[in-house]
Amino acid sequence: MNNNIQSQAVTKYIRLSTHKSRRVLKQITGKNCNEAQLILKFMPYRACKTIIKTLNSALNNISKENSNKIDTKRIMIKEAFANKGPKLKRFQPRAQGRAFPIQKPTCHITIKLEKK
């Protein structure tokens, strides 16, 4: 009998670059949820705020699937990754009527949890 319970949460079109999100997600992969929340709370990066929301959403998803009380100490982050989203294309005005293109990146953050 397989006793593993899994859940995931996806946050899409976040105005962060994938590179900056991945450096935070790499830190919490493989940790339990309580430890990951503590790490994210004290990290100085902007991506942490969004990742905490995604992690809480995944925790809520796991508790919705199972009506009984879930022990968060036993829930591990199985996978945490960021994929590229579409780029917002803008122009910055420059001297003598020129325009300089700006590409604002977006990303999709996915967190998968597993209870052993």
Side-chain angles (χ1 to χ4, degrees):
M1 185 171 131
N2 191 1
N3 210 13
N4 290 350
I5 300 167
Q6 295 183 344
S7 143
Q8 80 170 17
V10 181
T11 309
K12 293 188 171 190
Y13 305 105
I14 302 300
R15 271 283 295 117
L16 294 165
S17 72
T18 54
H19 179 74
K20 291 175 184 177
S21 300
R22 283 179 188 147
R23 76 174 168 200
V24 176
L25 291 168
K26 215 180 277 184
Q27 298 293 317
I28 64 167
T29 304
K31 305 255 192 305
N32 71 9
C33 285
N34 291 341
E35 190 179 345
Q37 285 177 331
L38 194 64
I39 289 169
L40 291 169
K41 189 176 180 182
F42 293 106
M43 268 189 169
Y45 304 116
R46 184 178 144 213
C48 292
K49 198 178 275 188
T50 307
I51 293 170
I52 286 173
K53 286 181 182 179
T54 309
L55 181 59
N56 288 335
S57 176
L59 278 169
N60 289 335
N61 290 342
I62 213 167
S63 64
K64 279 181 191 173
E65 291 170 8
N66 308 296
S67 58
N68 57 347
K69 265 293 203 206
I70 299 281
D71 184 20
T72 56
K73 292 177 185 172
R74 295 180 59 203
I75 298 174
M76 305 291 284
I77 297 173
K78 184 180 176 185
E79 276 184 274
F81 57 90
N83 294 327
K84 283 188 178 180
K87 289 183 179 174
L88 301 174
K89 293 175 177 131
R90 304 287 182 262
F91 286 99
Q92 176 76 34
R94 304 303 287 186
Q96 298 178 355
R98 294 186 180 94
F100 185 77
I102 295 174
Q103 294 182 345
K104 298 182 175 190
T106 61
C107 72
H108 308 309
I109 297 171
T110 305
I111 296 178
K112 294 183 181 180
L113 302 179
E114 183 176 51
K115 181 189 174 219
K116 302 237 177 180

